[in-house]
Amino acid sequence: MKEPHETLLGLDLGTNSIGWALLALDEDSSPTGILASGVRVFPAGVDGDFEKGREESRNSKRRSVRLARRQIRRRSRRKKKLYNLLAKSKLLPPADTSDPIEIHKKLLHLDGQLRLSFAISHRNQQLLPYLLREKALREALTPFELGRAIYHLAQRRGFLSNRKTSPKENEDCGVVKQSIVDLDAEIKASGAPTLGAYLCSLDPDVARIRCRYISRSMITEEFEKILQQQAPFHPILRDRQFVSALREVIFYQRPLKSQRHLIGFCELEPKKRRAALSYPEVQRWRYLQTLNNLKVLFVNGDERKLSDKERSLLIEYLERKGDLSFSRVKQILGFPLRGKDAVKFNLEEGGEKRIPGNRTLSAIRNIFGDSFDTIGPKDIEKIYHDLVSIRNPSVLQRKGARVWGLSQEKAAKFADLQLENDYARLSLKAIRKILPFLEKGLTYAKALECAYPGRDSSGKEPLGLLPPVFEAIPSLRNPAVARVLTELRKIINAIIEKYGKPTMIRLELARDLKRSKKARQERWREMRAKQQAREKIIKKIQKEIGICSPSRSDVLKGLLFEECGGQCPYTGFQFGFADLYGTHPKADVEHILPFSRSLDDSFLNKTLCLARENRQRKRNRTPFEAYGGDPARWNEILHRVSKFNGDSWLRRQKLARFKTENLSSEFLNDFCSRQLNDTRYASTLARDYLGLLYGGYIDASRKTRIQTC
């Protein structure tokens, strides 16, 4: 093979393998041969089943164990500091606090001595610390009894919310808070003055003493009552400095460490970090994208975008009420929910259940009520910043009551309000640039072009070799994608060193790698449903036709039979399930748009057709070319297709293919770009990473160097 004029590199990226081939091109950019090809196989960057969305980072186990060690260390340090403080004040016996075991032995010995002051019984043996806490509320304690009661409060100091939790932690917090409410009701019903007194009244052989969820406020309230009752008998408790130190040691909870440095950078404003998804403007940016892409789908296959009036009406609801289900959207716009005139939305057919609205403002509005409409934009922003910056619920509750004039009940709800804790892809600066164009009704792609013209070319100097992944993309947090890009770098740099830099790179990513964890879990459920449908058809073929091991084409015929109900869409002729099989089947599997012209061999482009009709009339033509000249018959065909069984999205896709009038090269190019174009996160990341070799995936001469499909 002669020296190539240019080279084209094809890449297929999966979760644990990369396939590649380097093609030689001539002066007309036509392939003349394969220079080299290969596959690199490597372990995935995560553990678990990636395809099912059940993977986890390899560091997660190590991290959870490390966090447990850290928590134990901090708890031990707090107890050691408290013991020293109490021992120095003669409230506990002296001990070598450098050794936790020595502290434990001292406490066990002290407990044995203190039990002698109570009646010896199995119950009292179990309840000693609680007996001391209950006794502290009604009579004087000895110094060691007081010290032991205070130390026990520190050992069981209760739950304190920090208001910054993940969705899974929110579920756990809900269980904790409900258990605390139930316990508080039990305490009030018993008439006990404190938690310790209530637990002291229980029989450990009948009711549970330990393993209860308790709140920090219960412990602080009991602590203050004990100090108040015991201060007349112990002068040290009247020392403000000592009491302040005691409170600090027992109840101090360090604030959560800021994770701001882990927030990724904006795609459009590289120096700005991504905006919080809970920010009101970001919420508006999100639902406007959805509305601008929303289309109304009619039963006859027609579709249209929302009118300006409909769009404005939905914006008002989404801004005030938050999320809207699609059934609610239809009610608002006056569309019938059932019957022949019922409509659907394109996103609804794609599996979406609702349109996410301005959840932040609607949640705040629900708490403030009608008074929210009188609050100015600046005050609304201050309220939002209070919610995201104040982590102590009691502090936020006081501010809600004093500053924002909420009742105690509403202030409590204000303090418990949880906003979305995720981040958008863009910074607030970029979103504010794009918003005005979204407000005009432009789609996100067009709004992006208007706000950032010429954004595809970075204008940077091309690099000779790819730099390390985390040097080029420091904000990358996805371990699976990081591993794939690292292996990609090894391949690309080796190819460049041996064959030179490719003229163009074509990149394809595995579907699993492009999807989020949630999307992969949903995809897995869909695959299971399809598998069950296939298994049902296989059993039917085995039982009714007698084919023990049905082939793939046999199963395909069965699935298409279930879809069309045994009726040829072109002629309306009915045929039975058995007519599909045997040496002379009555019906063929037929490509709606001819395969030789569309190259579409998917299930979406297939149906059943009477064999003679397919071979004598339909042949290598589109349905419109074969039947469009007879309006009456053409409408009958479209009506039959619109009544296909199964998934409505599949039915609509097939109906669109039946309606195709012109299978021109322009149509096919548009069709291919719609089918192949994918700008998901991982695809974009890989494209931009490879683009470093050319100063951007579109270089300075406006030539596309990296193509992603």
Side-chain angles (χ1 to χ4, degrees):
M1 185 171 60
K2 64 180 182 179
E3 188 70 21
H5 181 72
E6 294 178 336
T7 56
L8 169 65
L9 177 63
L11 293 165
D12 184 0
L13 273 63
T15 54
N16 63 347
S17 66
I18 299 177
W20 63 273
L22 187 67
L23 304 183
L25 305 177
D26 58 18
E27 292 83 355
D28 299 325
S29 297
S30 299
T32 59
I34 299 176
L35 289 173
S37 63
V39 177
R40 184 176 183 88
V41 181
F42 50 88
V46 291
D47 290 330
D49 195 327
F50 189 86
E51 183 181 351
K52 296 180 184 179
R54 297 175 183 171
E55 83 284 356
E56 62 177 11
S57 169
R58 289 177 177 167
N59 290 333
S60 61
K61 293 181 181 178
R62 185 180 67 176
R63 182 167 57 246
S64 61
V65 174
R66 184 175 67 244
L67 291 175
R69 286 199 307 267
R70 184 182 296 166
Q71 189 176 26
I72 292 170
R73 187 167 59 247
R74 287 173 177 170
R75 188 181 296 127
S76 176
R77 193 161 55 234
R78 185 176 74 246
K79 291 179 181 178
K80 172 184 172 181
K81 191 173 181 180
L82 176 62
Y83 196 101
N84 280 333
L85 185 61
L86 293 173
K88 186 177 179 181
S89 305
K90 311 296 184 185
L91 296 178
L92 282 179
D96 179 13
T97 55
S98 62
D99 184 5
I101 296 178
E102 180 66 22
I103 294 177
H104 182 63
K105 289 180 178 179
K106 282 284 185 182
L107 290 173
L108 286 178
H109 180 69
L110 177 61
D111 287 352
Q113 293 178 323
L114 295 177
R115 283 192 181 95
L116 299 176
S117 61
F118 296 95
I120 299 176
S121 67
H122 173 70
R123 177 179 178 279
N124 289 350
Q125 293 284 329
Q126 298 287 326
L127 294 175
L128 175 67
Y130 302 101
L131 291 169
L132 294 174
R133 286 162 59 176
E134 189 274 335
K135 183 180 177 182
L137 300 175
R138 53 186 173 78
E139 60 183 84
L141 298 180
T142 65
F144 285 177
E145 286 178 334
L146 176 61
R148 185 66 182 92
I150 292 175
Y151 190 86
H152 190 254
L153 290 174
Q155 287 179 299
R156 310 280 182 269
R157 64 179 191 161
F159 168 78
L160 177 64
S161 170
N162 56 43
R163 295 189 65 254
K164 301 291 180 181
T165 54
S166 66
K168 177 65 174 71
E169 290 169 331
N170 274 337
E171 293 178 19
D172 296 338
C173 285
V175 174
V176 172
K177 290 179 179 178
Q178 185 57 48
S179 300
I180 289 172
V181 170
D182 294 342
L183 177 59
D184 189 52
E186 290 176 21
I187 294 172
K188 291 177 179 176
S190 70
T194 63
L195 171 67
Y198 169 69
L199 296 177
C200 178
S201 67
L202 302 178
D203 185 345
D205 293 331
V206 177
R208 185 177 59 189
I209 304 297
R210 294 281 299 276
C211 300
R212 289 174 176 266
Y213 290 116
I214 59 177
S215 70
R216 185 71 53 83
S217 60
M218 292 177 179
I219 301 299
T220 53
E221 182 182 353
E222 184 172 354
F223 175 77
E224 297 299 334
K225 287 185 177 180
I226 289 175
L227 290 189
Q228 184 179 355
Q229 292 294 326
Q230 295 298 315
F233 312 112
H234 301 277
I236 189 67
L237 297 184
R238 297 194 289 273
D239 183 344
R240 290 185 179 180
Q241 189 174 356
F242 171 77
V243 172
S244 177
L246 207 56
R247 281 198 194 94
E248 178 76 10
V249 173
I250 298 175
F251 299 116
Y252 173 74
Q253 182 164 307
R254 68 179 65 241
L256 292 175
K257 185 178 179 181
S258 172
Q259 302 297 310
R260 182 168 176 76
H261 63 286
L262 298 179
I263 300 173
F265 287 94
C266 175
E267 302 170 7
L268 304 175
E269 301 286 345
K271 293 183 180 180
K272 297 289 185 180
R273 295 196 181 269
R274 296 173 181 174
L277 198 55
S278 60
Y279 202 87
E281 284 178 280
V282 180
Q283 299 265 303
R284 188 172 180 84
W285 167 79
R286 179 175 63 182
Y287 74 67
L288 282 175
Q289 290 181 62
T290 304
L291 284 185
N292 295 351
N293 285 320
L294 201 62
K295 291 182 180 178
V296 185
L297 307 178
F298 297 92
V299 175
N300 62 3
D302 293 340
E303 60 181 49
R304 67 169 176 84
K305 296 184 71 173
L306 295 177
S307 67
D308 291 341
K309 184 178 180 181
E310 291 170 337
R311 188 170 163 275
S312 299
L313 188 60
L314 289 181
I315 286 174
E316 182 181 351
Y317 271 86
L318 290 166
E319 194 71 19
R320 296 179 64 88
K321 303 294 184 181
D323 292 5
L324 286 177
S325 66
F326 282 111
S327 59
R328 179 67 180 132
V329 170
K330 293 170 190 175
Q331 290 176 350
I332 293 171
L333 300 182
F335 291 125
L337 298 178
R338 297 179 185 84
K340 62 179 182 179
D341 296 327
V343 301
K344 281 195 172 184
F345 296 104
N346 55 337
L347 300 182
E348 187 180 9
E349 287 205 324
E352 296 292 336
K353 303 295 183 186
R354 63 187 66 248
I355 301 175
N358 198 329
R359 295 168 178 170
T360 299
L361 290 188
S362 65
I364 298 173
R365 187 188 300 274
N366 287 339
I367 293 173
F368 278 76
D370 296 337
S371 63
F372 183 80
D373 294 324
T374 62
I375 302 175
K378 290 185 177 179
D379 283 339
I380 290 175
E381 189 150 340
K382 289 178 182 178
I383 292 171
Y384 168 76
H385 282 294
D386 284 346
L387 285 169
V388 296
S389 60
I390 299 176
R391 296 179 177 178
N392 190 321
S394 58
V395 174
L396 188 59
Q397 184 173 347
R398 287 197 299 271
K399 187 156 189 179
R402 294 175 184 174
V403 178
W404 304 117
L406 296 173
S407 65
Q408 286 301 318
E409 183 182 355
K410 288 185 176 181
K413 291 181 180 179
F414 183 66
D416 285 337
L417 188 59
Q418 294 284 345
L419 303 179
E420 291 180 87
N421 59 356
D422 211 341
Y423 290 86
R425 299 195 329 267
L426 305 180
S427 64
L428 199 55
K429 180 179 179 181
I431 286 171
R432 283 172 172 166
K433 284 185 178 181
I434 297 170
L435 258 179
F437 300 101
L438 292 176
E439 302 273 6
K440 296 177 182 178
L442 298 180
T443 62
Y444 181 71
K446 292 181 179 178
L448 202 57
E449 290 177 9
C450 295
Y452 288 90
R455 71 188 186 285
D456 296 330
S457 180
S458 65
K460 295 180 180 178
E461 285 295 321
L463 301 179
L465 296 171
L466 284 177
V469 174
F470 288 106
E471 181 182 310
I473 317 171
S475 60
L476 179 59
R477 293 287 173 269
N478 187 317
V481 175
R483 182 60 187 266
V484 172
L485 294 185
T486 299
E487 299 297 331
L488 175 64
R489 173 178 177 260
K490 296 175 184 177
I491 294 174
I492 295 296
N493 288 349
I495 290 173
I496 291 175
E497 289 176 356
K498 187 169 183 178
Y499 300 100
K501 190 183 297 185
T503 308
M504 184 185 296
I505 298 176
R506 286 182 180 155
L507 174 69
E508 180 181 358
L509 271 76
R511 281 180 291 184
D512 291 337
L513 193 61
K514 291 180 283 192
R515 290 190 175 97
S516 66
K517 186 171 183 176
K518 182 179 178 181
R520 277 183 277 116
Q521 290 172 339
E522 183 62 31
R523 172 65 176 169
W524 178 252
R525 285 192 288 269
E526 291 175 6
M527 289 173 63
R528 290 297 302 148
K530 290 181 180 179
Q531 181 63 27
Q532 290 171 0
R534 291 178 64 84
E535 290 172 355
K536 184 178 178 181
I537 289 295
I538 289 172
K539 290 180 180 178
K540 186 174 182 178
I541 294 172
Q542 292 171 338
K543 181 179 179 180
E544 298 185 15
I545 310 301
I547 301 176
C548 297
S549 300
S551 66
R552 185 174 180 179
S553 61
D554 291 336
V555 176
L556 175 62
K557 289 179 182 179
L559 292 172
L560 292 173
F561 179 86
E562 293 292 323
E563 181 183 63
C564 69
Q567 184 181 37
C568 172
Y570 299 107
T571 63
F573 186 85
Q574 290 286 153
F575 47 84
F577 190 70
D579 294 334
L580 301 177
Y581 304 97
T583 54
H584 299 290
K586 289 186 178 180
D588 290 340
V589 175
E590 191 266 334
H591 288 87
I592 301 168
L593 301 178
F595 175 71
S596 60
R597 298 165 62 189
S598 69
L599 301 180
D600 185 359
D601 195 38
S602 67
F603 185 83
L604 294 174
N605 195 38
K606 292 176 182 176
T607 188
L608 292 179
C609 175
L610 284 180
R612 64 176 183 272
E613 183 73 13
N614 185 30
R615 296 163 193 173
Q616 295 176 8
R617 179 162 185 177
K618 171 65 167 59
R619 294 182 294 182
N620 197 38
R621 294 187 290 176
T622 67
F624 183 79
E625 291 169 347
Y627 304 99
D630 185 347
R633 185 171 181 180
W634 177 239
N635 290 330
E636 289 175 0
I637 291 172
L638 295 182
H639 178 73
R640 282 192 284 267
V641 176
S642 68
K643 298 298 182 181
F644 273 7
N645 301 315
D647 185 79
S648 60
W649 181 81
L650 285 174
R651 181 168 61 249
R652 188 170 291 279
Q653 290 294 316
K654 292 200 172 186
L655 185 58
R657 283 165 170 75
F658 269 87
K659 286 184 171 182
T660 300
E661 296 185 6
N662 183 15
L663 202 59
S664 62
S665 59
E666 182 181 347
F667 169 86
L668 291 174
N669 288 335
D670 178 62
F671 171 79
C672 290
S673 66
R674 281 187 279 113
Q675 297 300 315
L676 298 177
N677 184 37
D678 195 320
T679 55
R680 296 181 194 270
Y681 172 65
S683 308
T684 306
L685 214 58
R687 179 197 67 185
D688 293 344
Y689 182 50
L690 291 172
L692 296 174
L693 297 170
Y694 307 95
Y697 77 93
I698 296 179
D699 64 15
S701 63
R702 305 301 297 165
K703 183 177 181 179
T704 302
R705 296 286 192 161
I706 314 296
Q707 296 180 347
T708 306
C709 63

